[in-house]
Amino acid sequence: ENGDAGPVAGSHGAQCRSFAPEDDGRLTTPSSTMQTDRVAGDLLAPPTGIRAGEHAGYEGCWIASAAAEIFVAVRPRPRVLAFRRRGGVSPFRAQPDSRSVGVRTWFMEPEQDSRSHLPAEQPAVFTQTGALQVTVAALPDPTTALQLRLRITLDPLDARVWIEHTFVNHGAGRTLAPWAVMAFPAAGAGFSPFGAWPRAMQPHRLKSCLFWPTTSPAHPAFELGCHGLGLCFAVPGDPIKVGLKSRAGTAVHAVGDDWLFSTVAFDSAARYPEGDGNVTMFYNGRLGADGLAELEHVGPLTELPSGGQTSLRQELRLLENEPLSLGGVDGWVAQARRQIATEIHT
Protein backbone atom coordinates (compact mmCIF):
# COMPACT_ATOMS: atom_id res chain seq x y z
CA GLU A 1 0.00 0.00 0.00
CA ASN A 2 2.77 2.41 0.79
CA GLY A 3 4.81 3.61 -2.13
CA ASP A 4 6.94 3.21 -3.11
CA ALA A 5 22.51 11.00 -3.75
CA GLY A 6 23.41 14.19 -2.96
CA PRO A 7 23.29 15.48 0.63
CA VAL A 8 20.66 18.13 1.20
CA ALA A 9 21.21 18.64 4.92
CA GLY A 10 19.96 21.96 6.20
CA SER A 11 17.59 22.63 3.32
CA HIS A 12 14.27 21.81 4.96
CA GLY A 13 14.54 22.76 8.62
CA ALA A 14 12.33 25.83 8.32
CA GLN A 15 9.69 23.99 6.29
CA CYS A 16 9.66 21.08 8.74
CA ARG A 17 9.08 23.57 11.56
CA SER A 18 6.27 25.51 9.83
CA PHE A 19 2.65 24.67 10.65
CA ALA A 20 -0.74 26.35 10.55
CA PRO A 21 -1.15 28.66 13.57
CA GLU A 22 -4.57 27.26 14.38
CA ASP A 23 -3.04 23.84 14.89
CA ASP A 24 -0.69 25.01 17.66
CA GLY A 25 2.33 23.79 15.71
CA ARG A 26 1.41 20.14 16.01
CA LEU A 27 -0.55 18.72 13.07
CA THR A 28 -1.72 19.93 9.69
CA THR A 29 -5.18 18.48 10.27
CA PRO A 30 -7.96 20.97 11.15
CA SER A 31 -8.06 22.17 14.73
CA SER A 32 -11.61 20.81 15.09
CA THR A 33 -10.23 17.31 14.54
CA MET A 34 -7.68 17.86 17.28
CA GLN A 35 -10.36 19.10 19.67
CA THR A 36 -12.48 16.04 18.92
CA ASP A 37 -9.45 13.87 19.67
CA ARG A 38 -8.96 15.55 23.04
CA VAL A 39 -12.65 15.33 23.96
CA ALA A 40 -12.87 11.68 22.94
CA GLY A 41 -9.89 10.81 25.09
CA ASP A 42 -11.17 12.75 28.08
CA LEU A 43 -14.58 11.06 27.87
CA LEU A 44 -13.47 7.51 27.16
CA ALA A 45 -10.22 7.05 29.00
CA PRO A 46 -10.51 6.14 32.69
CA PRO A 47 -8.47 8.00 35.32
CA THR A 48 -6.09 5.03 35.29
CA GLY A 49 -6.58 1.44 34.19
CA ILE A 50 -8.33 -0.22 31.25
CA ARG A 51 -11.80 0.38 29.89
CA ALA A 52 -13.67 -0.59 26.72
CA GLY A 53 -14.46 2.31 24.42
CA GLU A 54 -14.44 3.80 20.94
CA HIS A 55 -12.14 6.16 19.07
CA ALA A 56 -12.19 7.50 15.48
CA GLY A 57 -14.78 4.95 14.40
CA TYR A 58 -12.97 1.96 15.95
CA GLU A 59 -13.99 -0.26 18.86
CA GLY A 60 -11.45 -1.34 21.44
CA CYS A 61 -10.12 -0.19 24.78
CA TRP A 62 -8.35 2.70 26.44
CA ILE A 63 -5.34 2.03 28.66
CA ALA A 64 -4.51 5.00 30.87
CA SER A 65 -1.72 5.70 33.34
CA ALA A 66 -0.98 8.86 35.27
CA ALA A 67 1.29 10.00 32.43
CA ALA A 68 -0.25 8.76 29.17
CA GLU A 69 -3.13 6.99 27.46
CA ILE A 70 -3.35 4.66 24.52
CA PHE A 71 -6.25 3.35 22.45
CA VAL A 72 -6.05 -0.24 21.25
CA ALA A 73 -8.51 -0.98 18.44
CA VAL A 74 -9.86 -4.46 17.71
CA ARG A 75 -12.76 -3.80 15.32
CA PRO A 76 -13.02 -3.53 12.41
CA ARG A 77 -9.28 -4.33 12.52
CA PRO A 78 -6.51 -4.39 15.14
CA ARG A 79 -4.48 -1.20 15.46
CA VAL A 80 -2.77 0.83 18.16
CA LEU A 81 -4.74 3.88 17.12
CA ALA A 82 -3.70 6.59 19.58
CA PHE A 83 -0.86 7.27 22.01
CA ARG A 84 -0.60 10.56 23.86
CA ARG A 85 0.22 12.27 27.10
CA ARG A 86 -2.77 12.81 29.35
CA GLY A 87 -4.65 15.78 27.90
CA GLY A 88 -2.43 15.84 24.81
CA VAL A 89 -2.80 14.90 21.16
CA SER A 90 -1.74 11.64 19.53
CA PRO A 91 0.71 11.99 16.62
CA PHE A 92 -0.87 9.09 14.72
CA ARG A 93 -3.14 9.30 11.71
CA ALA A 94 -6.64 8.12 12.66
CA GLN A 95 -8.98 8.30 9.67
CA PRO A 96 -11.84 5.78 9.87
CA ASP A 97 -11.93 5.23 6.08
CA SER A 98 -8.27 4.18 5.79
CA ARG A 99 -6.31 1.15 6.92
CA SER A 100 -3.14 3.32 7.06
CA VAL A 101 -3.76 4.53 10.62
CA GLY A 102 -2.02 4.25 13.97
CA VAL A 103 0.41 1.37 14.36
CA ARG A 104 -0.33 -1.67 12.22
CA THR A 105 1.38 -5.03 11.84
CA TRP A 106 2.11 -6.44 8.40
CA PHE A 107 4.59 -9.06 7.24
CA MET A 108 7.11 -9.68 4.45
CA GLU A 109 7.64 -13.10 2.84
CA PRO A 110 10.41 -12.28 2.03
CA GLU A 111 9.19 -8.94 0.59
CA GLN A 112 5.95 -6.98 0.67
CA ASP A 113 3.26 -8.46 -1.56
CA SER A 114 -0.49 -8.24 -2.08
CA ARG A 115 -1.14 -10.42 1.01
CA SER A 116 1.04 -8.54 3.50
CA HIS A 117 -1.86 -6.67 5.07
CA LEU A 118 -4.39 -9.49 5.35
CA PRO A 119 -3.74 -10.83 8.89
CA ALA A 120 -4.10 -7.27 10.22
CA GLU A 121 -7.50 -6.88 8.53
CA GLN A 122 -9.18 -9.60 10.61
CA PRO A 123 -11.42 -8.62 13.55
CA ALA A 124 -9.92 -9.23 16.97
CA VAL A 125 -10.68 -9.37 20.68
CA PHE A 126 -8.72 -7.94 23.60
CA THR A 127 -8.09 -9.50 27.00
CA GLN A 128 -6.76 -7.66 30.03
CA THR A 129 -3.61 -9.44 31.22
CA GLY A 130 -2.23 -6.86 33.64
CA ALA A 131 -3.07 -3.61 35.38
CA LEU A 132 -1.94 -1.68 32.25
CA GLN A 133 -1.59 -4.52 29.77
CA VAL A 134 -3.85 -6.15 27.17
CA THR A 135 -3.35 -8.90 24.65
CA VAL A 136 -5.07 -8.80 21.26
CA ALA A 137 -5.88 -11.89 19.22
CA ALA A 138 -7.15 -11.53 15.66
CA LEU A 139 -8.92 -14.28 13.80
CA PRO A 140 -6.55 -16.39 11.66
CA ASP A 141 -6.41 -15.11 8.10
CA PRO A 142 -7.56 -17.90 5.73
CA THR A 143 -5.50 -16.67 2.77
CA THR A 144 -2.11 -16.49 4.47
CA ALA A 145 -2.75 -18.98 7.31
CA LEU A 146 -1.24 -16.39 9.68
CA GLN A 147 -2.73 -15.12 12.92
CA LEU A 148 -1.80 -11.75 14.39
CA ARG A 149 -1.42 -11.33 18.13
CA LEU A 150 -0.39 -8.23 20.03
CA ARG A 151 0.63 -7.55 23.61
CA ILE A 152 0.47 -3.88 24.64
CA THR A 153 1.90 -2.69 27.95
CA LEU A 154 1.75 0.92 29.15
CA ASP A 155 4.37 2.28 31.56
CA PRO A 156 2.64 3.32 34.83
CA LEU A 157 4.80 6.42 35.34
CA ASP A 158 6.08 7.54 31.94
CA ALA A 159 4.67 8.26 28.46
CA ARG A 160 6.03 4.96 27.17
CA VAL A 161 4.44 1.83 25.77
CA TRP A 162 5.72 -1.53 24.59
CA ILE A 163 4.05 -3.38 21.70
CA GLU A 164 4.90 -7.00 20.99
CA HIS A 165 3.83 -7.91 17.44
CA THR A 166 3.51 -11.68 16.91
CA PHE A 167 2.58 -13.84 13.94
CA VAL A 168 1.49 -17.45 14.50
CA ASN A 169 1.87 -19.72 11.48
CA HIS A 170 -1.06 -22.09 10.94
CA GLY A 171 0.20 -23.21 7.52
CA ALA A 172 3.25 -24.89 6.05
CA GLY A 173 6.80 -23.89 6.95
CA ARG A 174 7.92 -20.54 5.55
CA THR A 175 10.35 -17.63 5.91
CA LEU A 176 8.91 -14.26 6.90
CA ALA A 177 9.56 -11.06 8.82
CA PRO A 178 7.14 -9.04 10.99
CA TRP A 179 6.75 -5.42 9.94
CA ALA A 180 5.49 -2.63 12.25
CA VAL A 181 4.21 0.45 10.41
CA MET A 182 3.37 3.79 12.08
CA ALA A 183 1.13 6.18 10.10
CA PHE A 184 1.13 9.96 10.62
CA PRO A 185 -0.43 13.02 8.99
CA ALA A 186 1.86 14.94 6.64
CA ALA A 187 3.67 17.25 9.08
CA GLY A 188 7.07 17.55 10.71
CA ALA A 189 9.77 15.04 9.86
CA GLY A 190 10.91 11.48 10.40
CA PHE A 191 14.50 10.31 10.70
CA SER A 192 16.79 7.55 11.93
CA PRO A 193 20.50 7.43 12.83
CA PHE A 194 22.97 5.10 11.17
CA GLY A 195 24.83 4.43 14.42
CA ALA A 196 23.80 3.13 17.81
CA TRP A 197 22.97 5.31 20.81
CA PRO A 198 24.65 6.99 22.59
CA ARG A 199 27.49 7.20 20.04
CA ALA A 200 25.30 7.96 17.02
CA MET A 201 27.45 10.91 15.96
CA GLN A 202 30.65 8.90 15.63
CA PRO A 203 31.80 7.90 12.13
CA HIS A 204 31.13 4.39 10.84
CA ARG A 205 33.02 2.48 8.20
CA LEU A 206 29.94 1.53 6.21
CA LYS A 207 26.47 3.05 5.89
CA SER A 208 23.54 1.39 4.13
CA CYS A 209 20.99 3.67 2.42
CA LEU A 210 18.12 2.18 0.43
CA PHE A 211 16.05 3.75 -2.34
CA TRP A 212 12.90 2.11 -3.70
CA PRO A 213 12.73 1.84 -7.52
CA THR A 214 10.55 4.91 -8.07
CA THR A 215 12.43 7.12 -5.59
CA SER A 216 14.85 9.82 -6.71
CA PRO A 217 17.71 10.92 -4.40
CA ALA A 218 16.92 14.44 -5.59
CA HIS A 219 13.44 14.37 -4.01
CA PRO A 220 12.84 17.68 -2.18
CA ALA A 221 11.75 15.89 1.03
CA PHE A 222 14.85 13.69 1.27
CA GLU A 223 17.48 14.41 3.92
CA LEU A 224 20.81 12.54 3.91
CA GLY A 225 23.62 13.35 6.30
CA CYS A 226 26.77 11.77 7.68
CA HIS A 227 24.93 10.46 10.73
CA GLY A 228 21.37 9.76 9.61
CA LEU A 229 18.65 9.70 7.00
CA GLY A 230 15.28 11.39 7.06
CA LEU A 231 12.23 12.75 5.27
CA CYS A 232 10.60 16.14 5.70
CA PHE A 233 6.85 15.48 5.73
CA ALA A 234 5.95 19.14 5.06
CA VAL A 235 7.43 19.29 1.53
CA PRO A 236 5.07 18.21 -1.30
CA GLY A 237 6.28 16.08 -4.19
CA ASP A 238 6.11 12.60 -5.65
CA PRO A 239 5.74 9.56 -3.37
CA ILE A 240 9.05 8.55 -1.81
CA LYS A 241 10.27 5.52 0.12
CA VAL A 242 13.75 5.14 1.58
CA GLY A 243 15.40 2.98 4.20
CA LEU A 244 18.61 2.28 6.05
CA LYS A 245 20.37 -0.09 8.39
CA SER A 246 20.13 1.63 11.77
CA ARG A 247 22.20 0.09 14.53
CA ALA A 248 20.16 2.12 17.02
CA GLY A 249 16.96 0.58 15.63
CA THR A 250 15.27 3.92 16.35
CA ALA A 251 12.87 5.93 14.18
CA VAL A 252 11.97 9.43 15.39
CA HIS A 253 8.90 11.46 14.45
CA ALA A 254 9.08 15.16 15.34
CA VAL A 255 6.37 17.83 15.03
CA GLY A 256 7.04 21.07 16.88
CA ASP A 257 8.28 20.17 20.36
CA ASP A 258 6.51 16.78 20.35
CA TRP A 259 8.90 13.94 19.56
CA LEU A 260 8.03 10.24 19.32
CA PHE A 261 10.90 7.78 19.69
CA SER A 262 10.19 4.27 18.39
CA THR A 263 12.81 1.55 18.87
CA VAL A 264 13.13 -2.08 17.84
CA ALA A 265 16.41 -3.77 18.77
CA PHE A 266 18.79 -4.29 15.84
CA ASP A 267 20.25 -7.79 15.38
CA SER A 268 23.63 -7.57 13.67
CA ALA A 269 23.64 -11.30 12.93
CA ALA A 270 20.20 -11.36 11.31
CA ARG A 271 19.16 -11.06 7.68
CA TYR A 272 16.56 -8.40 6.95
CA PRO A 273 14.27 -8.24 3.88
CA GLU A 274 14.24 -5.69 1.06
CA GLY A 275 17.90 -4.73 0.94
CA ASP A 276 18.79 -5.71 4.53
CA GLY A 277 17.44 -2.51 6.08
CA ASN A 278 15.63 -2.48 9.42
CA VAL A 279 14.12 1.05 9.33
CA THR A 280 12.15 2.42 6.37
CA MET A 281 10.20 5.63 5.70
CA PHE A 282 7.40 6.49 3.29
CA TYR A 283 5.70 9.76 2.34
CA ASN A 284 3.01 10.05 -0.32
CA GLY A 285 4.04 13.64 -1.09
CA ARG A 286 0.62 15.15 -0.31
CA LEU A 287 -0.37 17.70 2.29
CA GLY A 288 -3.64 18.13 4.17
CA ALA A 289 -6.19 15.37 4.76
CA ASP A 290 -4.75 13.20 1.96
CA GLY A 291 -1.22 13.37 3.34
CA LEU A 292 0.32 10.15 4.65
CA ALA A 293 3.72 9.70 6.28
CA GLU A 294 5.00 6.40 7.65
CA LEU A 295 7.91 5.18 9.75
CA GLU A 296 8.46 1.45 9.68
CA HIS A 297 10.40 -1.21 11.58
CA VAL A 298 11.20 -4.43 9.74
CA GLY A 299 12.11 -7.51 11.75
CA PRO A 300 14.63 -10.21 10.82
CA LEU A 301 13.67 -12.92 8.35
CA THR A 302 12.81 -16.00 10.39
CA GLU A 303 12.37 -19.66 9.43
CA LEU A 304 8.91 -20.42 10.74
CA PRO A 305 7.67 -24.03 10.96
CA SER A 306 4.01 -24.97 11.01
CA GLY A 307 2.68 -23.95 14.42
CA GLY A 308 5.65 -21.66 15.02
CA GLN A 309 5.61 -17.96 15.79
CA THR A 310 7.84 -14.92 15.43
CA SER A 311 7.70 -11.60 17.28
CA LEU A 312 8.94 -8.04 17.05
CA ARG A 313 9.10 -5.94 20.23
CA GLN A 314 8.64 -2.20 19.80
CA GLU A 315 9.09 0.56 22.38
CA LEU A 316 7.35 3.90 21.87
CA ARG A 317 8.15 6.93 23.99
CA LEU A 318 6.80 10.49 23.84
CA LEU A 319 9.30 13.20 24.78
CA GLU A 320 9.35 16.98 24.62
CA ASN A 321 12.25 18.51 22.72
CA GLU A 322 13.08 21.74 20.97
CA PRO A 323 11.66 22.09 17.44
CA LEU A 324 13.75 20.63 14.65
CA SER A 325 17.00 22.47 14.08
CA LEU A 326 17.85 24.17 10.80
CA GLY A 327 20.95 21.98 10.44
CA GLY A 328 19.25 19.16 8.55
CA VAL A 329 19.18 15.51 9.54
CA ASP A 330 22.58 15.55 11.27
CA GLY A 331 21.29 18.34 13.48
CA TRP A 332 18.15 16.31 14.16
CA VAL A 333 20.21 13.25 15.13
CA ALA A 334 22.28 15.43 17.47
CA GLN A 335 19.09 16.71 19.12
CA ALA A 336 17.79 13.16 19.54
CA ARG A 337 21.13 12.01 20.93
CA ARG A 338 21.03 14.72 23.59
CA GLN A 339 17.48 13.68 24.46
CA ILE A 340 18.54 10.05 24.73
CA ALA A 341 21.43 10.99 26.99
CA THR A 342 19.45 13.23 29.34
CA GLU A 343 16.08 11.46 29.57
CA ILE A 344 16.42 7.84 28.52
CA HIS A 345 19.84 7.41 30.15
CA THR A 346 21.01 4.85 27.61
Side-chain angles (χ1 to χ4, degrees), residues 103-106 132-134 148-156 160-167 177-182 248-251 261-267 272 278-279 296-300 302 309-317:
V103 184
R104 65 186 189 271
T105 315
W106 288 9
L132 296 175
Q133 183 185 85
V134 299
L148 174 62
R149 295 178 182 172
L150 303 170
R151 181 167 60 187
I152 299 100
T153 307
L154 185 63
D155 190 305
R160 174 166 49 185
V161 65
W162 293 269
I163 308 172
E164 188 170 344
H165 310 255
T166 299
F167 283 109
W179 177 21
V181 184
M182 297 174 288
T250 299
F261 286 72
S262 176
T263 301
V264 172
F266 171 68
D267 185 351
Y272 289 86
N278 61 320
V279 175
E296 310 170 356
H297 294 281
V298 183
T302 303
Q309 62 184 45
T310 183
S311 298
L312 180 151
R313 192 170 191 265
Q314 178 182 17
E315 179 192 88
L316 295 170
R317 188 168 184 186

Side-chain angles (χ1 to χ4, degrees), residues 189-214:
F191 65 95
S192 181
F194 290 114
W197 309 116
R199 299 179 297 276
M201 300 301 290
Q202 294 184 0
H204 295 275
R205 290 178 296 175
L206 181 66
K207 301 181 179 75
S208 297
C209 179
L210 307 174
F211 295 88
W212 266 246
T214 58

Side-chain angles (χ1 to χ4, degrees), residues 82-154:
F83 176 42
R84 61 200 181 198
R85 298 184 189 90
R86 295 302 295 259
V89 178
S90 172
F92 294 133
R93 193 171 187 258
Q95 295 184 354
D97 58 346
S98 173
R99 66 188 181 205
S100 298
V101 295
V103 184
R104 65 186 189 271
T105 315
W106 288 9
F107 72 96
M108 296 190 184
E109 192 180 14
E111 299 178 347
Q112 178 184 359
D113 61 32
S114 60
R115 307 167 304 132
S116 293
H117 67 288
L118 292 177
E121 293 299 299
Q122 306 303 313
V125 296
F126 73 87
T127 303
Q128 182 171 350
T129 49
L132 296 175
Q133 183 185 85
V134 299
T135 57
V136 173
L139 293 174
D141 172 54
T143 301
T144 63
L146 290 173
Q147 182 181 22
L148 174 62
R149 295 178 182 172
L150 303 170
R151 181 167 60 187
I152 299 100
T153 307
L154 185 63

Side-chain angles (χ1 to χ4, degrees), residues 13-93:
Q15 289 168 298
C16 289
R17 295 175 63 183
S18 299
F19 309 99
E22 65 269 24
D23 293 336
D24 192 27
R26 297 171 182 263
L27 301 174
T28 56
T29 48
S31 57
S32 59
T33 302
M34 295 175 61
Q35 292 168 358
T36 301
D37 186 75
R38 287 196 183 98
V39 170
D42 292 342
L43 290 177
L44 293 175
T48 58
I50 299 172
R51 176 178 163 185
E54 297 181 355
H55 180 64
Y58 284 72
E59 299 176 14
C61 67
W62 286 98
I63 310 175
S65 70
E69 55 195 14
I70 186 167
F71 185 78
V72 180
V74 293
R75 292 181 180 271
R77 56 183 67 89
R79 295 287 190 275
V80 174
L81 199 60
F83 176 42
R84 61 200 181 198
R85 298 184 189 90
R86 295 302 295 259
V89 178
S90 172
F92 294 133
R93 193 171 187 258

